[in-house]
Amino acid sequence: MLVEVSFEAVGSIATAAATIVLVVLLYRTVKQFEATVEVSRIQTEYRFRPWIGHLGAIKKMDDSINGDCQFSISVRNFGELPASGVTAKFALFSKLPSKDELKTTDMTTFSLGPMLPSMDKQYWFFIPSDKWKKAADGQEKIFTALYFDYAASGKKSGYGLISEYNSDSKNFIHREMWIDDSKL
């Protein structure tokens, strides 16, 4: 038994198969575009923004402007966009504070102003001379908490740093560092 197949039937079957292939390719293209858009969103959110953080160690300055022991830390914008207003906060503790404890602590605040990409600024803080002498002699522990906050991409961002003075090595050891991001 011989089945006759017309050119019209073959053409209809080929058109249906081509249509199915096109639909599958179109679906895969749309999925690829979705993935590309998601990667672009993540890159824009995390790359194209300011990133404020410390650069190097906490240094004791030889001269003080107010009689207390003066210290300096370099702050840098590691991001690709400027930070419009950076605020530095400082607190001194005699025991290791937690991040949650810093939220309820009254911290000394200072505006560092705007910071362009790759810009460095110095932040100074002070430790009372009597406390510093005891810490330098190893009689007392000193912990410093520094926090830098700024707005980025419609979010309140921040960088925190808790350090302990080590009298044996005569420098500050960074105990904890973290980054905060929250909606404004």
Side-chain angles (χ1 to χ4, degrees), residues 71-92:
F71 296 84
S72 174
I73 188 165
S74 295
V75 182
R76 174 176 278 177
N77 181 356
F78 292 96
E80 295 189 22
L81 291 179
S84 60
V86 180
T87 303
K89 297 178 180 182
F90 168 76
L92 184 64

Side-chain angles (χ1 to χ4, degrees), residues 100-113:
D100 292 333
E101 195 175 336
L102 296 181
K103 294 176 184 174
T104 60
T105 300
D106 186 28
M107 298 180 81
T108 304
T109 303
F110 182 79
S111 175
L112 294 175

